[in-house]
Amino acid sequence: MNIQSREKVTLRTANQHDAQCVGDIAVAAWQRIFDRKPLASVSLANSFKELVGEELFQENWSNWQERKRKEVVGHLERSPETILIAEVEG
């Protein structure tokens, strides 16, 4: 969104109808972290795999997207009052 925009932004407390979108945003945000190449052009996920081995990696990090989605959506379901949703009019 353009900061100089005249669109009206409203903040509201999250509700159950926001769960899918909030989960999608969480996965998209963490995707950049897992794709990041901090050392010798190796992604963070591949660094974990090299560090802990294939078996432990598969158990703990291979399905990180679903785990992150469940973690964030679970938080929304338990404490929706702690999550704010920005809605843009215009």
Side-chain angles (χ1 to χ4, degrees):
M1 179 171 105
N2 182 344
I3 292 176
Q4 296 177 1
S5 172
R6 300 219 183 259
E7 295 172 349
K8 181 180 177 185
V9 177
T10 304
L11 294 178
R12 64 170 175 79
T13 303
N15 61 54
Q16 300 302 317
H17 300 290
D18 299 312
Q20 178 67 40
C21 186
V22 168
D24 291 346
I25 290 169
V27 170
W30 279 88
Q31 184 69 54
R32 292 188 57 112
I33 293 166
F34 273 83
D35 289 347
R36 187 166 179 236
K37 298 178 178 165
L39 302 171
S41 71
V42 175
S43 73
L44 187 59
N46 284 336
S47 294
F48 282 151
K49 191 183 294 187
E50 289 175 12
L51 183 65
V52 301
E54 183 70 30
E55 185 177 343
L56 194 54
F57 177 83
Q58 291 301 324
E59 277 183 39
N60 293 286
W61 290 286
S62 66
N63 194 17
W64 70 264
Q65 294 97 334
E66 189 56 33
R67 291 175 74 176
K68 180 56 67 180
R69 180 182 307 281
K70 284 182 181 180
E71 180 180 286
V72 173
V73 169
H75 180 77
L76 181 148
E77 290 169 348
R78 288 185 306 279
S79 305
E81 70 282 359
T82 64
I83 299 174
L84 293 177
I85 303 297
E87 293 182 331
V88 179
E89 279 184 34

mmCIF file of all heavy atoms in Angstrom, residues 16-45:
data_model
loop_
_atom_site.group_PDB
_atom_site.id
_atom_site.type_symbol
_atom_site.label_atom_id
_atom_site.label_comp_id
_atom_site.label_asym_id
_atom_site.label_seq_id
_atom_site.Cartn_x
_atom_site.Cartn_y
_atom_site.Cartn_z
ATOM 1 N N GLN A 16 -12.593 -16.182 13.687
ATOM 2 C CA GLN A 16 -12.390 -17.482 13.039
ATOM 3 C C GLN A 16 -12.377 -17.390 11.513
ATOM 4 O O GLN A 16 -11.725 -18.186 10.847
ATOM 5 C CB GLN A 16 -13.458 -18.471 13.499
ATOM 6 C CG GLN A 16 -13.455 -18.725 14.990
ATOM 7 C CD GLN A 16 -12.125 -19.242 15.505
ATOM 8 O OE1 GLN A 16 -11.507 -20.093 14.896
ATOM 9 N NE2 GLN A 16 -11.671 -18.713 16.625
ATOM 10 N N HIS A 17 -13.076 -16.423 10.953
ATOM 11 C CA HIS A 17 -13.130 -16.272 9.498
ATOM 12 C C HIS A 17 -11.792 -15.818 8.910
ATOM 13 O O HIS A 17 -11.580 -15.925 7.705
ATOM 14 C CB HIS A 17 -14.233 -15.288 9.103
ATOM 15 C CG HIS A 17 -15.597 -15.722 9.554
ATOM 16 N ND1 HIS A 17 -16.257 -16.799 8.999
ATOM 17 C CD2 HIS A 17 -16.405 -15.240 10.521
ATOM 18 C CE1 HIS A 17 -17.416 -16.957 9.602
ATOM 19 N NE2 HIS A 17 -17.530 -16.021 10.534
ATOM 20 N N ASP A 18 -10.888 -15.333 9.756
ATOM 21 C CA ASP A 18 -9.582 -14.860 9.301
ATOM 22 C C ASP A 18 -8.522 -15.960 9.290
ATOM 23 O O ASP A 18 -7.406 -15.736 8.823
ATOM 24 C CB ASP A 18 -9.089 -13.725 10.218
ATOM 25 C CG ASP A 18 -10.013 -12.536 10.211
ATOM 26 O OD1 ASP A 18 -10.400 -12.093 9.111
ATOM 27 O OD2 ASP A 18 -10.348 -12.055 11.308
ATOM 28 N N ALA A 19 -8.838 -17.124 9.795
ATOM 29 C CA ALA A 19 -7.841 -18.176 10.003
ATOM 30 C C ALA A 19 -7.075 -18.540 8.728
ATOM 31 O O ALA A 19 -5.845 -18.612 8.745
ATOM 32 C CB ALA A 19 -8.494 -19.416 10.605
ATOM 33 N N GLN A 20 -7.755 -18.762 7.623
ATOM 34 C CA GLN A 20 -7.086 -19.167 6.384
ATOM 35 C C GLN A 20 -6.100 -18.091 5.932
ATOM 36 O O GLN A 20 -4.949 -18.382 5.599
ATOM 37 C CB GLN A 20 -8.111 -19.440 5.281
ATOM 38 C CG GLN A 20 -7.505 -19.811 3.938
ATOM 39 C CD GLN A 20 -6.801 -21.158 3.960
ATOM 40 O OE1 GLN A 20 -7.290 -22.101 4.572
ATOM 41 N NE2 GLN A 20 -5.659 -21.245 3.312
ATOM 42 N N CYS A 21 -6.545 -16.853 5.927
ATOM 43 C CA CYS A 21 -5.703 -15.745 5.470
ATOM 44 C C CYS A 21 -4.499 -15.548 6.399
ATOM 45 O O CYS A 21 -3.374 -15.355 5.931
ATOM 46 C CB CYS A 21 -6.530 -14.473 5.378
ATOM 47 S SG CYS A 21 -5.645 -13.091 4.658
ATOM 48 N N VAL A 22 -4.726 -15.606 7.699
ATOM 49 C CA VAL A 22 -3.638 -15.453 8.665
ATOM 50 C C VAL A 22 -2.618 -16.581 8.494
ATOM 51 O O VAL A 22 -1.405 -16.348 8.521
ATOM 52 C CB VAL A 22 -4.204 -15.397 10.110
ATOM 53 C CG1 VAL A 22 -3.106 -15.534 11.145
ATOM 54 C CG2 VAL A 22 -4.973 -14.101 10.315
ATOM 55 N N GLY A 23 -3.094 -17.795 8.277
ATOM 56 C CA GLY A 23 -2.187 -18.917 8.022
ATOM 57 C C GLY A 23 -1.383 -18.721 6.749
ATOM 58 O O GLY A 23 -0.176 -18.987 6.716
ATOM 59 N N ASP A 24 -2.024 -18.241 5.697
ATOM 60 C CA ASP A 24 -1.327 -17.977 4.427
ATOM 61 C C ASP A 24 -0.241 -16.920 4.600
ATOM 62 O O ASP A 24 0.865 -17.054 4.061
ATOM 63 C CB ASP A 24 -2.311 -17.505 3.355
ATOM 64 C CG ASP A 24 -3.273 -18.585 2.903
ATOM 65 O OD1 ASP A 24 -3.040 -19.782 3.201
ATOM 66 O OD2 ASP A 24 -4.278 -18.229 2.252
ATOM 67 N N ILE A 25 -0.553 -15.866 5.348
ATOM 68 C CA ILE A 25 0.429 -14.803 5.576
ATOM 69 C C ILE A 25 1.616 -15.338 6.363
ATOM 70 O O ILE A 25 2.773 -15.020 6.056
ATOM 71 C CB ILE A 25 -0.233 -13.610 6.295
ATOM 72 C CG1 ILE A 25 -1.205 -12.910 5.344
ATOM 73 C CG2 ILE A 25 0.820 -12.633 6.817
ATOM 74 C CD1 ILE A 25 -2.104 -11.887 6.011
ATOM 75 N N ALA A 26 1.361 -16.151 7.374
ATOM 76 C CA ALA A 26 2.454 -16.718 8.176
ATOM 77 C C ALA A 26 3.390 -17.568 7.321
ATOM 78 O O ALA A 26 4.614 -17.445 7.406
ATOM 79 C CB ALA A 26 1.886 -17.548 9.325
ATOM 80 N N VAL A 27 2.822 -18.427 6.490
ATOM 81 C CA VAL A 27 3.646 -19.274 5.625
ATOM 82 C C VAL A 27 4.448 -18.418 4.643
ATOM 83 O O VAL A 27 5.646 -18.639 4.448
ATOM 84 C CB VAL A 27 2.788 -20.324 4.884
ATOM 85 C CG1 VAL A 27 3.591 -21.032 3.798
ATOM 86 C CG2 VAL A 27 2.232 -21.334 5.878
ATOM 87 N N ALA A 28 3.811 -17.423 4.055
ATOM 88 C CA ALA A 28 4.512 -16.549 3.108
ATOM 89 C C ALA A 28 5.652 -15.799 3.794
ATOM 90 O O ALA A 28 6.742 -15.646 3.224
ATOM 91 C CB ALA A 28 3.533 -15.564 2.470
ATOM 92 N N ALA A 29 5.429 -15.342 5.012
ATOM 93 C CA ALA A 29 6.465 -14.615 5.739
ATOM 94 C C ALA A 29 7.652 -15.514 6.062
ATOM 95 O O ALA A 29 8.806 -15.120 5.904
ATOM 96 C CB ALA A 29 5.880 -14.025 7.020
ATOM 97 N N TRP A 30 7.396 -16.717 6.502
ATOM 98 C CA TRP A 30 8.471 -17.638 6.859
ATOM 99 C C TRP A 30 9.145 -18.255 5.640
ATOM 100 O O TRP A 30 10.284 -18.719 5.732
ATOM 101 C CB TRP A 30 7.951 -18.717 7.799
ATOM 102 C CG TRP A 30 7.874 -18.218 9.204
ATOM 103 C CD1 TRP A 30 6.831 -17.569 9.788
ATOM 104 C CD2 TRP A 30 8.893 -18.283 10.174
ATOM 105 N NE1 TRP A 30 7.152 -17.224 11.076
ATOM 106 C CE2 TRP A 30 8.410 -17.658 11.345
ATOM 107 C CE3 TRP A 30 10.189 -18.814 10.189
ATOM 108 C CZ2 TRP A 30 9.176 -17.550 12.508
ATOM 109 C CZ3 TRP A 30 10.944 -18.704 11.347
ATOM 110 C CH2 TRP A 30 10.435 -18.081 12.486
ATOM 111 N N GLN A 31 8.481 -18.264 4.502
ATOM 112 C CA GLN A 31 9.077 -18.825 3.287
ATOM 113 C C GLN A 31 10.404 -18.135 2.973
ATOM 114 O O GLN A 31 11.389 -18.781 2.643
ATOM 115 C CB GLN A 31 8.121 -18.672 2.103
ATOM 116 C CG GLN A 31 8.631 -19.309 0.817
ATOM 117 C CD GLN A 31 8.640 -20.829 0.907
ATOM 118 O OE1 GLN A 31 7.622 -21.424 1.226
ATOM 119 N NE2 GLN A 31 9.766 -21.448 0.652
ATOM 120 N N ARG A 32 10.435 -16.824 3.094
ATOM 121 C CA ARG A 32 11.667 -16.075 2.818
ATOM 122 C C ARG A 32 12.788 -16.481 3.763
ATOM 123 O O ARG A 32 13.945 -16.510 3.384
ATOM 124 C CB ARG A 32 11.404 -14.581 2.907
ATOM 125 C CG ARG A 32 10.505 -14.083 1.788
ATOM 126 C CD ARG A 32 10.427 -12.587 1.811
ATOM 127 N NE ARG A 32 11.760 -12.015 1.703
ATOM 128 C CZ ARG A 32 12.201 -11.329 0.662
ATOM 129 N NH1 ARG A 32 11.403 -11.116 -0.344
ATOM 130 N NH2 ARG A 32 13.406 -10.852 0.648
ATOM 131 N N ILE A 33 12.452 -16.787 5.009
ATOM 132 C CA ILE A 33 13.471 -17.201 5.974
ATOM 133 C C ILE A 33 14.022 -18.565 5.595
ATOM 134 O O ILE A 33 15.235 -18.789 5.594
ATOM 135 C CB ILE A 33 12.889 -17.203 7.400
ATOM 136 C CG1 ILE A 33 12.571 -15.762 7.805
ATOM 137 C CG2 ILE A 33 13.823 -17.877 8.391
ATOM 138 C CD1 ILE A 33 11.717 -15.623 9.020
ATOM 139 N N PHE A 34 13.155 -19.496 5.240
ATOM 140 C CA PHE A 34 13.611 -20.831 4.875
ATOM 141 C C PHE A 34 14.340 -20.850 3.537
ATOM 142 O O PHE A 34 15.201 -21.691 3.323
ATOM 143 C CB PHE A 34 12.447 -21.825 4.882
ATOM 144 C CG PHE A 34 12.218 -22.422 6.234
ATOM 145 C CD1 PHE A 34 11.462 -21.743 7.180
ATOM 146 C CD2 PHE A 34 12.772 -23.636 6.588
ATOM 147 C CE1 PHE A 34 11.255 -22.270 8.438
ATOM 148 C CE2 PHE A 34 12.582 -24.177 7.839
ATOM 149 C CZ PHE A 34 11.818 -23.488 8.775
ATOM 150 N N ASP A 35 14.010 -19.928 2.653
ATOM 151 C CA ASP A 35 14.685 -19.863 1.359
ATOM 152 C C ASP A 35 15.989 -19.084 1.414
ATOM 153 O O ASP A 35 16.800 -19.154 0.499
ATOM 154 C CB ASP A 35 13.785 -19.207 0.310
ATOM 155 C CG ASP A 35 12.633 -20.099 -0.094
ATOM 156 O OD1 ASP A 35 12.658 -21.300 0.239
ATOM 157 O OD2 ASP A 35 11.702 -19.579 -0.727
ATOM 158 N N ARG A 36 16.170 -18.314 2.486
ATOM 159 C CA ARG A 36 17.342 -17.459 2.610
ATOM 160 C C ARG A 36 18.622 -18.274 2.531
ATOM 161 O O ARG A 36 18.693 -19.384 3.040
ATOM 162 C CB ARG A 36 17.288 -16.704 3.940
ATOM 163 C CG ARG A 36 18.368 -15.696 4.067
ATOM 164 C CD ARG A 36 18.078 -14.764 5.225
ATOM 165 N NE ARG A 36 19.162 -13.825 5.304
ATOM 166 C CZ ARG A 36 19.903 -13.627 6.367
ATOM 167 N NH1 ARG A 36 19.635 -14.273 7.471
ATOM 168 N NH2 ARG A 36 20.881 -12.760 6.345
ATOM 169 N N LYS A 37 19.636 -17.689 1.941
ATOM 170 C CA LYS A 37 20.913 -18.373 1.771
ATOM 171 C C LYS A 37 21.994 -17.658 2.582
ATOM 172 O O LYS A 37 22.757 -16.864 2.060
ATOM 173 C CB LYS A 37 21.272 -18.417 0.304
ATOM 174 C CG LYS A 37 20.253 -19.205 -0.487
ATOM 175 C CD LYS A 37 20.537 -19.233 -1.946
ATOM 176 C CE LYS A 37 19.467 -20.095 -2.591
ATOM 177 N NZ LYS A 37 19.387 -19.959 -3.984
ATOM 178 N N PRO A 38 22.035 -17.938 3.896
ATOM 179 C CA PRO A 38 22.965 -17.212 4.747
ATOM 180 C C PRO A 38 24.423 -17.619 4.580
ATOM 181 O O PRO A 38 25.310 -16.813 4.776
ATOM 182 C CB PRO A 38 22.485 -17.534 6.157
ATOM 183 C CG PRO A 38 21.806 -18.849 6.025
ATOM 184 C CD PRO A 38 21.213 -18.863 4.636
ATOM 185 N N LEU A 39 24.685 -18.859 4.228
ATOM 186 C CA LEU A 39 26.063 -19.343 4.135
ATOM 187 C C LEU A 39 26.309 -20.047 2.811
ATOM 188 O O LEU A 39 25.604 -20.972 2.451
ATOM 189 C CB LEU A 39 26.360 -20.331 5.269
ATOM 190 C CG LEU A 39 26.169 -19.806 6.690
ATOM 191 C CD1 LEU A 39 26.271 -20.942 7.677
ATOM 192 C CD2 LEU A 39 27.198 -18.738 6.991
ATOM 193 N N ALA A 40 27.284 -19.595 2.117
ATOM 194 C CA ALA A 40 27.751 -20.268 0.898
ATOM 195 C C ALA A 40 26.616 -20.655 -0.042
ATOM 196 O O ALA A 40 26.596 -21.742 -0.587
ATOM 197 C CB ALA A 40 28.568 -21.494 1.268
ATOM 198 N N SER A 41 25.679 -19.759 -0.215
ATOM 199 C CA SER A 41 24.533 -19.934 -1.115
ATOM 200 C C SER A 41 23.742 -21.222 -0.870
ATOM 201 O O SER A 41 23.244 -21.853 -1.785
ATOM 202 C CB SER A 41 24.964 -19.838 -2.581
ATOM 203 O OG SER A 41 25.720 -20.967 -2.957
ATOM 204 N N VAL A 42 23.648 -21.624 0.377
ATOM 205 C CA VAL A 42 22.837 -22.786 0.766
ATOM 206 C C VAL A 42 21.646 -22.259 1.565
ATOM 207 O O VAL A 42 21.811 -21.468 2.475
ATOM 208 C CB VAL A 42 23.658 -23.779 1.624
ATOM 209 C CG1 VAL A 42 22.787 -24.915 2.119
ATOM 210 C CG2 VAL A 42 24.841 -24.296 0.835
ATOM 211 N N SER A 43 20.440 -22.702 1.218
ATOM 212 C CA SER A 43 19.256 -22.227 1.933
ATOM 213 C C SER A 43 19.295 -22.675 3.387
ATOM 214 O O SER A 43 19.983 -23.631 3.748
ATOM 215 C CB SER A 43 17.986 -22.740 1.263
ATOM 216 O OG SER A 43 17.830 -24.120 1.521
ATOM 217 N N LEU A 44 18.533 -21.980 4.218
ATOM 218 C CA LEU A 44 18.455 -22.329 5.632
ATOM 219 C C LEU A 44 17.956 -23.759 5.808
ATOM 220 O O LEU A 44 18.488 -24.516 6.619
ATOM 221 C CB LEU A 44 17.533 -21.345 6.343
ATOM 222 C CG LEU A 44 17.444 -21.439 7.859
ATOM 223 C CD1 LEU A 44 18.816 -21.236 8.484
ATOM 224 C CD2 LEU A 44 16.466 -20.412 8.380
ATOM 225 N N ALA A 45 16.959 -24.140 5.031
ATOM 226 C CA ALA A 45 16.435 -25.513 5.119
ATOM 227 C C ALA A 45 17.522 -26.525 4.774
ATOM 228 O O ALA A 45 17.681 -27.528 5.467
ATOM 229 C CB ALA A 45 15.233 -25.685 4.197
#
